[in-house]
Structure formats: C-alpha cells, structure tokens
Amino acid sequence: VSSSAAAKGWLGTVLLAIVTQVTTVVFPPTVCVVFVLQLGDYLSQELNISGRACALVVVFSANLCFAAPLANSIHVVCMEAGQYQRGRVAVIGLGMQIILTAVTIVGAHVHFPTHGH
C-alpha cells in the first residue's frame, strides 16, 4: 500500500470520527451509529481500509460524546449543581475527547491494518 493511500485511510478515519461526534450532538449515540456506520462502510470500500476499523471508530466516537460535558444535559445539570466553572470543564472534556479519539483511531489502524499490508 502506498504512503498516499495509507494517508488517505488515516485522514478518512479521522474525518469519520469527527462526523460521528458532531452527529451525536444532534442525535442520540445509538441512532448516530446506525446511520454513520453506512458512511464508514462506504469509506472503507472507497479508501481500501478495513471495515472493522471504520466500525470501531464509529462506535467508540459515538460514545465519546459523554466525554464532552456541555453536550449532555445531565452533565450540564450536575455542573450547575456543583457550581463548576463551565470553561474549565469544557476544556478538560474537549481534551479528553481529542485524546480518546486519537487512541481509538490509532488502535483501529493497528488492530485492523489497511488492506494490502
């Protein structure tokens, strides 16, 4: 597999994770997974990457919405009750989301390498 094809595969999974997380802001994670898995399947065929890697990225990314405190109404209520600083909590939540997304993407590519390796 050429380095260009591998780079496209990595970029594709990063974009898939972003689309999944943005979609979970509007829809519940389960609904998001049902619809975004189809996009992951299409990407895996177009970019010649593992469908399992795409599925893993979609499922884990959909659940990472719970790492973003401001995206969940229960977290917002708890922050208000505990009088936490919204800005600090948002930064920590975003940092956690970025780190966990990166771990998910790397793990998906390590465990399910690009076709042709």
Side-chain angles (χ1 to χ4, degrees):
V1 175
S2 71
S3 61
S4 174
K8 287 179 185 176
W10 281 88
L11 181 60
T13 53
V14 168
L15 292 175
L16 183 63
I18 292 169
V19 166
T20 303
Q21 290 178 14
V22 168
T23 305
T24 59
V25 172
V26 180
F27 301 105
T30 305
V31 173
C32 171
V33 167
V34 170
F35 291 106
V36 180
L37 270 176
Q38 294 177 1
L39 174 63
D41 186 45
Y42 174 76
L43 274 177
S44 71
Q45 292 173 11
E46 287 296 314
L47 298 176
N48 200 28
I49 56 178
S50 170
R52 290 180 179 179
C54 289
L56 184 72
V57 167
V58 168
V59 171
F60 276 48
S61 294
N63 287 303
L64 286 176
C65 68
F66 297 113
L70 298 179
N72 187 310
S73 59
I74 295 172
H75 289 158
V76 172
V77 170
C78 290
M79 283 189 315
E80 294 295 326
Q83 298 177 345
Y84 293 105
Q85 297 174 352
R86 280 181 173 244
R88 188 173 183 180
V89 172
V91 168
I92 291 170
L94 180 62
M96 285 176 52
Q97 219 169 353
I98 290 169
I99 291 168
L100 293 172
T101 299
V103 168
T104 299
I105 291 167
V106 169
H109 280 277
V110 168
H111 289 293
F112 307 108
T114 303
H115 298 305
H117 269 153

